[in-house]
C-alpha cells in the first residue's frame, strides 16, 4: 500500500470524504488516542496543572480530545480545511488554525507549554510543489516552533519515517533549530506495535525517556493497562463515566458554551436495544 503522502498533498488527500472516513473509523480512532496519550506522557507535564498545548496536524480533533480529557487547553493547526470542518462539527474545545506547518508556526514567542503531533511530520519530507524544499520547510517549521514554546517545554512527534535517511533529515533540522533530544522507538522488536516518537526539548541536556517494550517487564504489561493504572492512581475520572462527563460539561460552561443541565440520568448506561 502506498504511503498517503505520495498519493496527493495533505490538503487534497484529506478531502471531505476522506476526513469523515478517517474520523468514523473506530480502529483509527483507538490508535490515535493511544499514540496521543503516549505523546503526552513523553511531554512530562506537571501533574494536576492544566497546560496550554499546540496540536500540530490536529486534523478532526481526535488527539485534541485526548488533551482536553486530561484537563489541558489546546490550539490545533492543520492544512486540511475538510479535516478542520469535521473538528468544528464535533464541537472540539480547542481553537483551530488553518495553516501549512511547512510555512512555520504563526504564534507569538513563548506561547505554549508543549506541543504534540500525531502522524503528520513525515508529510514535510515530501515535495508536493516545485517550490517545496524539504530541508528548508523542516527548518522553518522547527525554528518557528522553537520560538513559540516556553523555555521549559517539550515537543513530541509520533511519525512514520520511511527510512533511516529520512529520520536523520528530520532530527538534523530539529537540532539545527535549537532543540535537544532524539527518537524514542516503542516496541522496537514488533512489526505492528513499533512506534517512532521524536522527543524534542528546548533546553538542557536531559536523557531521553525510556522506550516501551524494551525489556521483559514492559512487554509483560500492556500500555493500555499502564495508562488505566496511572489514571486511577492520579485520581482522574474514567473516560465516559459520570464524573468524566460532569467534568467535561463544567469545562464547557466555564468557556461560555451552552450545555445541558445535569440530572440523575447523566452518565447512566442505557439499556441495550433489541
Amino acid at each position: 500500500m502506498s504511503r498517503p503522502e505520495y498519493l496527493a498533498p495533505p490538503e487534497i488527500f484529506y478531502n471531505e470524504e476522506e476526513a469523515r472516513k478517517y474520523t468514523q473509523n473506530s480502529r483509527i480512532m483507538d490508535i490515535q488516542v493511544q499514540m496521543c496519550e503516549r505523546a503526552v506522557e513523553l511531554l512530562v507535564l506537571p501533574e494536576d496543572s492544566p497546560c496550554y498545548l499546540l496540536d500540530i496536524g490536529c486534523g478532526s480533533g481526535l488527539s485534541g480530545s485526548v488533551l482536553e480529557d486530561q484537563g489541558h487547553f489546546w490550539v490545533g493547526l492543520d492544512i486540511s480545511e475538510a479535516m478542520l470542518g469535521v473538528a468544528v462539527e464535533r464541537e472540539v474545545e480547542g481553537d483551530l488554525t488553518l495553516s501549512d506547518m511547512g510555512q512555520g508556526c504563526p504564534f507569538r514567542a513563548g506561547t505554549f507549554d508543549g506541543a504534540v503531533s500525531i502522524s503528520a511530520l513525515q508529510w514535510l519530507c515530501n515535495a508536493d510543489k516545485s517550490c517545496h524544499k524539504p530541508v528548508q520547510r523542516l527548518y522553518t517549521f522547527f525554528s518557528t516552533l522553537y520560538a513559540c514554546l516556553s523555555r521549559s517545554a517539550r515537543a513530541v512527534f509520533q511519525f512514520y519515517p520511511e527510512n533511516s535517511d529520512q529520520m536523520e533529515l528530520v532530527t538534523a533540522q530539529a537540532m539545527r533549530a535549537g532543540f535537544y533530544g532524539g527518537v524514542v522507538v516503542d516496541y522496537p522488536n514488533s512489526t505492528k506495535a513499533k512506534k517512532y516518537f521524536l522527543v524534542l526539548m528546548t533546553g538542557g541536556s536531559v536523557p531521553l525517556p525510556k522506550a516501551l517494550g524494551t525489556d521483559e517487564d514492559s512487554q509483560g504489561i500492556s500500555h493500555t493497562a499502564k495508562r488505566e493504572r496511572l489514571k486511577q492512581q492520579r485520581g482522574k475520572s474514567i473516560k465516559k463515566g459520570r464524573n468524566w462527563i460532569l467534568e467535561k460539561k463544567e469545562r464547557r460552561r466555564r468557556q461560555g458554551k451552552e450545555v445541558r443541565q445535569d440530572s440523575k440520568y447523566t452518565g447512566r448506561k442505557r439499556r441495550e436495544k433489541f
Side-chain angles (χ1 to χ4, degrees):
M1 182 177 178
S2 299
R3 293 168 66 94
E5 60 266 28
Y6 292 158
L7 299 178
E11 65 272 28
I12 296 176
F13 180 83
Y14 288 110
N15 53 30
E16 290 188 10
E17 180 183 356
E18 191 66 29
R20 295 187 184 283
K21 188 194 309 181
Y22 188 94
T23 310
Q24 294 170 357
N25 187 311
S26 58
R27 178 177 172 275
I28 289 178
M29 292 174 69
D30 289 342
I31 293 174
Q32 190 91 351
V33 167
Q34 291 176 23
M35 292 190 299
C36 187
E37 288 181 341
R38 174 59 172 154
V40 175
E41 183 181 313
L42 293 170
L43 282 180
V44 193
L45 298 171
E47 291 189 16
D48 303 320
S49 177
C51 296
Y52 194 46
L53 305 177
L54 176 63
D55 184 0
I56 303 159
C58 65
S60 56
L62 295 178
S63 50
S65 295
V66 174
L67 302 180
E68 62 196 46
D69 288 346
Q70 296 194 14
H72 301 299
F73 301 96
W74 62 282
V75 172
L77 180 153
D78 203 281
I79 195 174
S80 169
E81 189 171 357
M83 277 289 207
L84 294 179
V86 175
V88 172
E89 289 180 9
R90 294 180 62 242
E91 297 184 345
V92 297
E93 296 183 12
D95 295 320
L96 304 173
T97 303
L98 179 65
S99 182
D100 176 8
M101 58 194 287
Q103 295 182 356
C105 299
F107 305 104
R108 289 186 300 179
T111 298
F112 298 102
D113 302 313
V116 296
S117 179
I118 308 299
S119 308
L121 185 59
Q122 67 271 7
W123 289 86
L124 281 184
C125 299
N126 196 44
D128 296 319
K129 301 177 182 178
S130 59
C131 61
H132 282 182
K133 293 179 174 56
V135 172
Q136 292 182 2
R137 283 168 60 78
L138 282 164
Y139 178 71
T140 297
F141 167 65
F142 283 124
S143 59
T144 54
L145 174 63
Y146 184 91
C148 72
L149 292 175
S150 67
R151 288 291 73 89
S152 60
R154 291 187 179 194
V156 177
F157 299 81
Q158 179 279 322
F159 72 118
Y160 296 101
E162 184 178 17
N163 49 45
S164 58
D165 290 340
Q166 194 174 88
M167 193 184 305
E168 176 62 29
L169 170 66
V170 169
T171 54
Q173 296 310 309
M175 304 307 145
R176 180 186 168 204
F179 285 107
Y180 297 84
V183 177
V184 173
V185 184
D186 283 352
Y187 304 103
N189 300 319
S190 171
T191 54
K192 291 186 177 180
K194 181 189 290 187
K195 292 292 182 294
Y196 294 86
F197 292 88
L198 177 63
V199 181
L200 301 178
M201 294 164 273
T202 54
S205 183
V206 182
L208 283 175
K210 187 176 181 181
L212 299 178
T214 55
D215 54 42
E216 294 181 0
D217 291 337
S218 59
Q219 289 175 344
I221 303 175
S222 71
H223 184 36
T224 301
K226 284 183 177 179
R227 290 201 314 272
E228 292 303 319
R229 186 180 65 188
L230 286 172
K231 285 181 180 179
Q232 290 174 2
Q233 289 175 348
R234 294 174 182 172
K236 291 184 178 179
S237 303
I238 298 175
K239 191 172 183 180
K240 302 301 181 184
R242 177 179 171 82
N243 290 338
W244 178 85
I245 292 173
L246 292 175
E247 289 171 3
K248 185 167 185 177
K249 290 173 73 174
E250 183 58 32
R251 287 200 303 272
R252 286 178 174 265
R253 289 191 185 100
R254 290 198 298 268
Q255 294 173 353
K257 296 182 179 180
E258 186 176 344
V259 180
R260 290 184 180 179
Q261 291 185 345
D262 301 334
S263 73
K264 64 180 182 180
Y265 300 106
T266 302
R268 179 179 292 186
K269 188 176 181 180
R270 297 183 179 181
R271 293 180 179 179
E272 295 183 359
K273 294 183 178 179
F274 294 96

